[in-house]
Amino acid sequence: MTSQVDQSEAVDGSDGSEGRPGSAPPSARQGRPVKPTRRLDRVIIRFAGDSGDGMQLTGDRFTSETASFGNDLSTLPNFPAEIRAPAGTLPGVSSFQLHFADHDILTPGDAPNVLVAMNPAALKANLPDLPHGAEIIVNTDEFTKRALAKVGYAADPLGDGSLDAFRLHRVPLTTLTLEALKDSGLARKDAERAKNMFALGLLSWMYHRPTRGTEDFLRQKFARKPDIAEANITAFRAGWNFGETTEDFAVSYEIPPARVPAGTYRNISGNLALSYGLIAAAERAALPLFLGSYPITPASDILHELSKHKNFGVRTFQAEDEIAGIGAALGAAFGGALGVTTTSGPGVALKSETIGLAVSLELPLLVVDIQRGGPSTGLPTKTEQADLLQAMFGRNGEAPVPIVAPATPAECFTAALEAARIALTYRTPVFLLSDGYLANGSEPWRIPAVDELPDLSVEFATEPNHELEDGSRAFWPYKRDPQTLARPWAVPGTPGLEHRIGGIEKQDGTGNISYDPANHDFMVRTRQAKVDGIAVPPLEVDDPTGDARVLVLGWGSTYGPITAAVRRVRADGGRVAQAHLRHLNPFPADLGTVLKRYERVIVPEMNLGQLAMLLRAKYLVDAQSYNQVRGLPFKAAQLADVLHAAIGTLDAEETR
């Protein structure tokens, strides 16, 4: 793999070279003995500290350099909902976990191999997740009596023997940072803030990460404050040099690049991929893109990103509330734009009436729901999959809406294109269900060529479409395409195509207001038939031996943990089949047939069994739920245990 080729951290995956451009600061490796290097196939690192310690930035920079190096990776940012949570407390701990490897990986990892703890709270909050033998790097400067007491430590864990099962590195990060910046002219408080860059430099040395990109990033980020930029770079380099010179770190580690299909890759988060997918969809449809949105965690990044792309004809409207946001988006759709609104679960509840209006108007509209823990305000920064039934049924009356759900952060790009295809082809609002895990997590993404993207072009109505009894022609806004049942899309102001819209039931064909019982029955059934008839791909089933008795079926972000668990079970000799739903309304046409092929169907979900309930109701199969609502993704090990147990139960029943 070659190294960074542009400013978006893209790498060319067309060869297998292992060069590391910019892998050492200018001050490193000048006449010093080289420490031994140990080669690993993967590692899991977690940075943890106060929400003001810059852990998300530190993790993001390490991830970007790891992507430019060519490793496969998966990340899990985990931070409190407060803008600045109480310092030094357990609820205020912010962490960023990164799993990177020389092979294909699917999850951020079950347990960190390395923990960087910036204070006692970070150590205590994350210690239960560490396996014995893990490395812990602690900022000893923060282990004061007051800080220890604040999180309930009666004795200093760095000296009481409680950490003997781990490889502990005591590093006075704050002191070393201040020493490195003593000539910077910065006040002590400002200089202390660079300790996260010292830690980043140290970890970059430990794992042979490129450094040039981070230095360029810092100069760009603090372009208006060059003294701050240079101070952070100095701290970053000091961390690297500390790793190379201190006796406490005797070994560095190398994780070779992963071998991936040829192409240009970049690291991308789910929300960024989704934003790019919306832009691509509008371009392929030759439509302006309009986003009507109200800021809400964890969807706000999409609004922020799309606002940067006016050059693609993107218009973003930050509304005063959720209802105004979707109302503007639906109005834009009426005007001939690709209308989009973004939100999370609480916002969907507020938007439900307008979603029902969009069903009645039969206009294309994308409703992007980045799910989070609920109900109500719930857990704004934690992940969950509990909005499925709300997306399916959360409107008055019979108001069916198609649902698309991406499985990985990178897949959010194609999910946006697919949601747009359905909305534009069938003239319907469409739900795109992502979640906080996908939105904030990241992985390498192969940038597709433009000609690989689907053609989403639409034809607007331009002339009357119905001949009246007297031979004249009129425009009937509800005269449908016989294949898709979609009604014509007429841009307001087109001569001769004036028509009435609104939430009151319309007469089939003419679009006139109608209270006729038979017409209402027909229109309700027609709208349902339109959704039921949407063309979606058949379900892909991974059953390598063809004789598995257990099927594990998931949807959305459970894909990574489920697939990792399936790999573990198969490596142990277990036979298990796997399938994953990207279309939740309508389901793939062959789903019922697939379910009936297996004696046991396991459905892991980050809710209390919403998909399992739908499957049991529709297909009369004994789908068994495995549920978790902890605000965190599943661990592969726990799902592997569930699958082993299911296989073992069937085997035991067979031998009776």
Side-chain angles (χ1 to χ4, degrees):
M1 244 171 233
T2 59
S3 60
Q4 188 171 339
V5 296
D6 67 21
Q7 292 303 308
S8 62
E9 291 110 32
V11 296
D12 188 339
S14 58
D15 62 61
S17 62
E18 298 180 10
R20 292 194 303 275
S23 60
S27 57
R29 295 182 178 169
Q30 297 177 358
R32 298 171 182 163
V34 177
K35 293 183 178 181
T37 298
R38 184 177 302 163
R39 196 168 201 178
L40 304 174
D41 64 349
R42 68 185 185 94
V43 70
I44 304 167
I45 298 173
R46 183 181 295 176
F47 299 93
D50 277 336
S51 58
D53 282 339
M55 294 297 93
Q56 302 306 315
L57 175 63
T58 304
D60 182 69
R61 289 315 311 161
F62 195 93
T63 299
S64 294
E65 298 300 348
T66 297
S68 72
F69 183 77
N71 295 119
D72 196 15
L73 62 89
S74 180
T75 67
L76 177 62
N78 189 7
F79 45 89
E82 292 79 10
I83 295 174
R84 182 66 190 271
T89 65
L90 295 175
V93 172
S94 171
S95 68
F96 189 105
Q97 183 163 307
L98 166 67
H99 182 192
F100 60 104
D102 66 359
H103 57 276
D104 172 43
I105 58 173
L106 299 156
T107 74
D110 286 359
N113 308 115
V114 181
L115 171 66
V116 179
M118 303 298 282
N119 59 26
L123 176 65
K124 188 168 188 178
N126 292 282
L127 194 60
D129 294 336
L130 299 184
H132 285 184
E135 287 193 83
I136 303 176
I137 301 170
V138 296
N139 179 16
T140 55
D141 291 325
E142 294 296 322
F143 279 69
T144 63
K145 288 184 178 180
R146 181 181 178 186
L148 291 167
K150 188 180 287 189
V151 295
Y153 275 126
D156 187 348
L158 305 186
D160 66 0
S162 61
L163 301 179
D164 288 349
F166 307 98
R167 289 178 287 165
L168 180 63
H169 301 280
R170 299 172 176 86
V171 182
L173 290 174
T174 305
T175 298
L176 292 170
T177 301
L178 291 174
E179 177 64 22
L181 300 181
K182 63 183 179 182
D183 298 325
S184 67
L186 294 181
R188 178 186 175 92
K189 184 177 181 180
D190 291 333
E192 280 186 12
R193 290 175 179 161
K195 63 181 180 289
N196 64 325
M197 288 297 105
F198 189 101
L200 177 60
L202 173 57
L203 270 292
S204 297
W205 170 83
M206 283 182 65
Y207 293 98
H208 295 204
R209 297 298 91 185
T211 62
R212 186 182 304 140
T214 292
E215 294 191 7
D216 291 344
F217 167 83
L218 290 170
R219 289 192 176 97
Q220 182 179 6
K221 180 177 179 64
F222 299 109
R224 297 183 180 181
K225 298 179 179 179
D227 55 336
I228 299 294
E230 292 308 312
N232 278 279
I233 291 170
T234 298
F236 177 63
R237 292 177 175 177
W240 178 291
N241 293 332
F242 176 79
E244 191 145 280
T245 57
T246 183
E247 295 181 0
D248 195 30
F249 294 90
V251 178
S252 64
Y253 303 93
E254 183 175 59
I255 296 87
R259 302 192 70 87
V260 297
T264 301
Y265 289 77
R266 61 154 296 156
N267 182 51
I268 200 164
S269 68
N271 274 353
L272 184 57
L274 204 156
S275 301
Y276 288 172
L278 293 173
I279 295 170
E283 287 291 302
R284 296 298 285 172
L287 296 174
L289 176 64
F290 181 92
L291 174 68
S293 182
Y294 179 76
I296 184 171
T297 303
S300 299
D301 289 343
I302 302 170
L303 172 61
H304 301 159
E305 182 61 34
L306 289 180
S307 68
K308 303 174 185 177
H309 297 285
K310 297 180 179 66
N311 56 310
F312 284 110
V314 178
R315 292 182 176 87
T316 54
F317 169 52
Q318 181 175 322
E320 66 268 28
D321 55 39
E322 296 281 3
I323 298 171
I326 190 173
L330 183 57
F334 178 58
L338 178 58
V340 182
T341 190
T342 54
T343 190
S344 189
V348 173
L350 293 168
K351 295 178 189 289
S352 62
E353 183 179 8
T354 307
I355 297 171
L357 176 60
V359 171
S360 179
L361 300 184
E362 299 190 46
L363 286 170
L365 176 69
L366 303 188
V367 182
V368 178
D369 177 7
I370 313 297
Q371 300 166 95
R372 70 189 206 189
S376 186
T377 306
L379 303 173
T381 61
K382 311 300 181 183
T383 196
E384 206 162 276
Q385 288 182 298
D387 291 350
L388 176 56
L389 294 183
Q390 181 176 214
M392 285 285 289
F393 305 119
R395 295 161 296 283
N396 66 298
E398 298 287 347
V401 176
I403 303 172
V404 174
T408 69
E411 205 174 278
C412 290
F413 178 84
T414 51
L417 286 161
E418 174 64 0
R421 177 192 73 85
I422 294 172
L424 295 171
T425 303
Y426 296 90
R427 307 288 196 268
T428 178
V430 177
F431 263 105
L432 195 162
L433 292 185
S434 179
D435 61 43
Y437 173 38
L438 295 183
N440 296 317
S442 64
E443 65 177 351
W445 171 56
R446 187 185 71 82
I447 302 173
V450 173
D451 58 10
E452 296 177 37
L453 304 180
D455 179 4
L456 301 180
S457 57
V458 298
E459 293 186 6
F460 290 108
T462 58
E463 58 186 10
N465 60 357
H466 183 75
E467 185 172 337
L468 302 176
E469 292 181 359
D470 62 3
S472 62
R473 296 188 63 80
F475 177 63
W476 278 21
Y478 283 86
K479 185 171 184 176
R480 302 177 183 278
D481 181 294
Q483 299 299 320
T484 65
L485 299 181
R487 77 174 187 88
W489 193 2
V491 176
T494 305
L497 304 191
E498 297 83 0
H499 61 285
R500 180 182 288 106
I501 64 168
I504 298 178
E505 185 65 278
K506 301 299 185 293
Q507 185 180 40
D508 177 48
T510 67
N512 295 327
I513 290 174
S514 173
Y515 294 97
D516 178 66
N519 177 78
H520 177 60
D521 184 273
F522 178 82
M523 293 293 278
V524 167
R525 294 179 186 277
T526 299
R527 287 188 289 263
Q528 183 66 58
K530 182 173 67 170
V531 172
D532 292 342
I534 292 172
V536 302
L539 184 64
E540 294 183 10
V541 181
D542 177 24
D543 187 357
T545 62
D547 60 353
R549 302 166 68 190
V550 173
L551 170 70
V552 55
L553 179 70
W555 69 278
S557 66
T558 57
Y559 173 79
I562 289 174
T563 307
V566 166
R567 289 179 179 179
R568 294 188 184 202
V569 171
R570 290 175 181 169
D572 293 338
R575 293 171 298 171
V576 60
Q578 179 189 1
H580 207 77
L581 291 168
R582 272 84 171 178
H583 295 87
L584 293 151
N585 192 29
F587 288 129
D590 60 342
L591 176 57
T593 303
V594 169
L595 294 175
K596 288 179 170 59
R597 290 209 302 259
Y598 296 92
E599 296 177 45
R600 186 142 306 170
V601 178
I602 309 293
V603 186
E605 297 181 79
M606 291 187 293
N607 58 47
L608 296 183
Q610 297 185 15
L611 174 61
M613 184 176 72
L614 294 174
L615 297 175
R616 293 169 70 93
K618 185 174 180 65
Y619 300 107
L620 304 180
V621 297
D622 186 18
Q624 298 185 5
S625 292
Y626 182 75
N627 310 121
Q628 171 179 295
V629 281
R630 301 177 59 242
L632 294 169
F634 285 110
K635 293 184 177 181
Q638 73 184 104
L639 292 182
D641 289 343
V642 171
L643 297 179
H644 274 304
I647 295 170
T649 299
L650 289 177
D651 290 344
E653 291 174 355
E654 188 176 46
T655 57
R656 288 175 186 169

